[in-house]
Amino acid sequence: SRGKVLATRSMLAQQSLRRAAISALWCHARALATTIAGPCSYEVVVKKSRFVASAAPVSSAEEALAWVRRESDESARHNCFAYTLSDGYSRSNNDGEPGGTAGPPIAAAIAGAGVVDVAVLVRRYRLDGGAKLGTGGLVRAYGGAAQGVLEAAARTPLVRLVPLTVEFEATDTGAVYREAGGFEAGPVSPGDGARTRATFRVPAEQAEEVARSIEGATHGRATARWAGFDGGGEDCRGGGGGGGGPTPMA
């Protein structure tokens, strides 16, 4: 009936508005996110146990774990770490300390500092005559060392990079790289027909501007697409996709 049709349309419209509101809130949160500007270190001695903390910005789990491996010290009794990424994923490791006394306090310090895309490693060295710290003492020591290194680190707004994929004709190679060559370039592969496909990593907030510049410089012959902020076809521009021009990838 007409009433059911109208009710269905109203429900779909409300769902669309809710999705748009959630998308806007997420974009706002991502825009406010911060990370640390570069590597930093800090150390403290607690009851003749020396805790040496290091922190570094990371962009992926693989990068975080590779950094932890490089920075770990075999001469330390324990190399405990945690990292938190901007997509919400986090991990911690106690490296032989009693459960919950090392990795989780480090992760809690990262959360308390309000930073993301950050890894923190705390190395513990027992000095001569060092006393046992107990569960509570370990939590305070590891958490305090992580808090100390993060307080010492300079902060910087998080710049989220997205892949911008460009397909173009050979004659437009110069124009494409003139507009996008200042950004990190990925591998080049064959595109549709005789076209070439290249990928560049650009700041998310600049993706549309760069895409339009490329299409303008090639008089529309090149096409440029970039991944949405959550990888699911959404983007932070507001107002949805339509209207022509470069579009976010679905």
Side-chain angles (χ1 to χ4, degrees):
S1 67
R2 179 178 174 79
K4 289 184 179 180
V5 171
L6 291 175
T8 300
R9 288 178 177 175
S10 176
M11 180 183 67
L12 292 174
Q14 291 175 9
Q15 290 175 345
S16 178
L17 287 173
R18 282 196 295 270
R19 285 195 297 270
I22 292 170
S23 175
L25 287 171
W26 179 249
C27 290
H28 180 67
R30 291 296 295 270
L32 297 177
T34 59
T35 187
I36 62 175
C40 190
S41 61
Y42 170 88
E43 67 176 81
V44 61
V45 175
V46 180
K47 293 185 178 180
K48 293 193 176 181
S49 275
R50 178 171 167 246
F51 294 85
V52 180
S54 298
V58 295
S59 59
S60 67
E62 294 77 14
E63 184 180 353
L65 292 175
W67 175 81
V68 167
R69 285 192 292 270
R70 289 195 306 272
E71 295 295 318
S72 293
D73 183 357
E74 292 184 357
S75 68
R77 291 181 65 91
H78 303 279
N79 292 275
C80 306
F81 70 87
Y83 61 85
T84 297
L85 303 179
S86 55
D87 61 6
Y89 181 76
S90 64
R91 178 185 171 186
S92 64
N93 185 283
N94 292 302
D95 191 33
E97 293 282 29
T101 62
I106 297 171
I110 296 174
V115 290
V116 293
D117 283 357
V118 170
V120 175
L121 170 70
V122 180
R123 301 173 291 278
R124 181 189 180 190
Y125 302 86
R126 282 281 292 274
L127 306 178
D128 291 341
K132 290 186 177 181
L133 299 180
T135 300
L138 288 172
V139 169
R140 289 189 292 273
Y142 279 102
Q147 180 180 353
V149 73
L150 291 172
E151 287 178 349
R155 307 293 178 88
T156 187
L158 180 67
V159 177
R160 187 177 62 86
L161 300 178
V162 296
L164 178 73
T165 301
V166 184
E167 284 202 3
F168 54 93
E169 299 173 3
T171 54
D172 289 320
T173 300
V176 169
Y177 278 86
R178 184 170 60 250
E179 298 299 323
F183 300 101
E184 178 186 345
V188 175
S189 60
D192 294 334
R195 292 161 68 84
T196 298
R197 181 183 296 119
T199 301
F200 303 88
R201 289 175 58 79
V202 303
E205 66 273 13
Q206 292 181 245
E208 183 176 13
E209 177 185 350
V210 175
R212 291 192 184 279
S213 295
I214 291 171
E215 294 190 356
T218 60
H219 302 285
R221 290 185 297 273
T223 58
R225 290 163 56 83
W226 69 97
F229 81 98
D230 63 355
E234 300 289 340
D235 68 274
C236 296
R237 296 174 296 147
T247 57
M249 291 180 179

